[in-house]
Amino acid sequence: MIDTHSHIYSAEFDDDRATVVAAAKSAGVGRVILANEDLGSIDRLHQTHDAFPDFCAMAMGLHPESVDADYRTTLQQIGDELARGGYCAVGEIGLDLYWDTTYSTEQRQALEQQLDWALTFDLPVILHVRKAFPEMFASLAKFKNKPLRGVFHCFGGGVEEARKAVSLGFVLGVGGVFTYKNSGLPDILRPIGLQHLVLETDAPFLAPVPHRGRRNEPQFMAAVARKMAEIFDTSIEKIDEITTKNAENLFMFGQIK
């Protein structure tokens, strides 16, 4: 399995990162994508990758919640980092209007600049979308007929948003929330089909049932796969096969730029 979104470089894993990686491998997780957040996370991102180079891949981007009035200076440094190469995606980028809309315009500008860089460097994007689907689709519409591709990380929209996203050529990231009793995601994603889904954890956040409330880890992705196998009436092996192939095709492992 491939965990397409994780933050195991964060301080929450400083005491046992090697143990967490070993447990993930034992649970059948073969690779983890480390999604960047801001300038402060870049060194940690690289240190974790360098410690586990055959297990970790890196994505570079500026998280929408890290966008402020002076985002341009920060964003240029993110762009310089992307240009150095070694990344499998541009991310984590996007729009988050859940808590605060103060910098909604700046978030959109930062997003669209990073979408443009994804095209420049021929990389997929990892999209964070929270209470901002109309705004996200409006930004993506500006890139119509251009070869944007990527994943709607921790997908939390409804059926209409899911259909719109896959119609644009994106896949949907499925993690711990899928296992929550009242999430509604199984009914939303069942008609979308496994061919449009990838697995993720967002570790250390959003641990799946029966680990909910704990620090999330890549090894817990097996619980998400089990739930998906139940919902899609298939085997865990089939879930692994299809979602892994989807992730490999999207992130083009072996051709990291």
Side-chain angles (χ1 to χ4, degrees), residues 30-168:
R31 189 180 285 254
V32 164
I33 296 176
L34 307 176
N36 192 57
E37 296 172 0
D38 51 35
L39 295 181
S41 55
I42 293 176
D43 285 347
R44 282 181 164 276
L45 185 87
H46 279 271
Q47 289 165 7
T48 301
H49 170 266
D50 292 348
F52 310 100
D54 297 326
F55 183 70
C56 297
M58 299 183 293
M60 178 53 51
L62 181 63
H63 192 289
E65 289 184 296
S66 296
V67 172
D68 56 21
D70 191 37
Y71 81 93
R72 288 183 177 84
T73 301
T74 301
L75 193 60
Q76 188 54 57
Q77 294 179 67
I78 294 289
D80 292 343
E81 187 61 38
L82 264 174
R84 292 188 182 96
Y87 299 101
C88 69
V90 177
E92 166 178 7
I93 68 175
L95 299 171
D96 193 316
L97 306 179
Y98 185 78
W99 294 113
D100 189 358
T101 60
T102 303
Y103 299 112
S104 58
T105 298
E106 289 83 357
Q107 282 191 31
R108 179 180 52 77
Q109 291 168 342
L111 166 66
E112 291 174 9
Q113 175 61 78
Q114 292 178 97
L115 292 174
D116 191 58
W117 284 338
L119 291 170
T120 298
F121 297 113
D122 188 24
L123 291 171
V125 294
I126 298 173
L127 297 178
H128 172 113
V129 188
R130 199 173 186 203
K131 203 178 178 183
F133 276 99
E135 294 84 354
M136 175 58 73
F137 288 133
S139 285
L140 292 176
K142 296 182 180 182
F143 295 84
K144 186 178 181 180
N145 299 324
K146 294 186 178 181
L148 272 179
R149 63 192 191 278
V151 54
F152 277 69
H153 146 65
C154 193
F155 180 77
V159 174
E160 297 273 329
E161 290 84 3
R163 288 173 176 163
K164 178 71 171 178
V166 301
S167 75
L168 294 174

